Amino acid sequence: MDGDLEIGDTDRKILRLLYSGLDDTRVAMELGVSHRTVQRRVQSLMSLLGARGRLALGARAQEAGLLYAPDRVLDATRTAMLAQIRRS
């Protein structure tokens, strides 16, 4: 996978939220966008990364280093909020 692959912050957030186990509806709620917008972005990311399914998308995103950047750490409030979303 090309290390120079650049995607936008919203797409990176979508990848991270999906990778953390949230479904499209929860991702949409987290980002304040529509469920359909998330679906379209996931399809676009799958095409961009050459993934045939969501599992492959996660693997390709991980390989490309798109999931976590060392300079970005989730703060305690955001981590707690994500944990609460997952429980509900």
Side-chain angles (χ1 to χ4, degrees):
M1 184 75 28
D2 184 6
D4 295 332
L5 182 64
E6 292 289 329
I7 64 169
D9 286 338
T10 301
D11 286 339
R12 193 177 293 266
K13 287 177 187 175
I14 288 171
L15 286 170
R16 289 176 182 163
L17 292 169
L18 290 173
Y19 192 74
S20 73
L22 299 182
D23 62 17
D24 289 355
T25 301
R26 298 295 172 115
V27 171
M29 287 172 38
E30 173 72 17
L31 297 178
V33 299
S34 74
H35 176 262
R36 184 68 185 127
T37 295
V38 172
Q39 288 178 326
R40 280 193 302 267
R41 295 308 311 149
V42 168
Q43 289 299 315
S44 175
L45 286 164
M46 287 172 61
S47 177
L48 178 68
L49 295 174
R52 290 188 175 180
R54 287 171 179 256
L55 182 61
L57 177 62
R60 296 283 176 109
Q62 179 75 14
E63 290 170 1
L66 297 173
L67 295 177
Y68 299 102
D71 61 331
R72 294 184 184 176
V73 179
L74 291 177
D75 62 23
T77 304
R78 187 165 176 83
T79 302
M81 182 175 63
L82 287 173
Q84 182 179 14
I85 289 172
R86 286 188 205 116
R87 283 193 300 268
S88 49

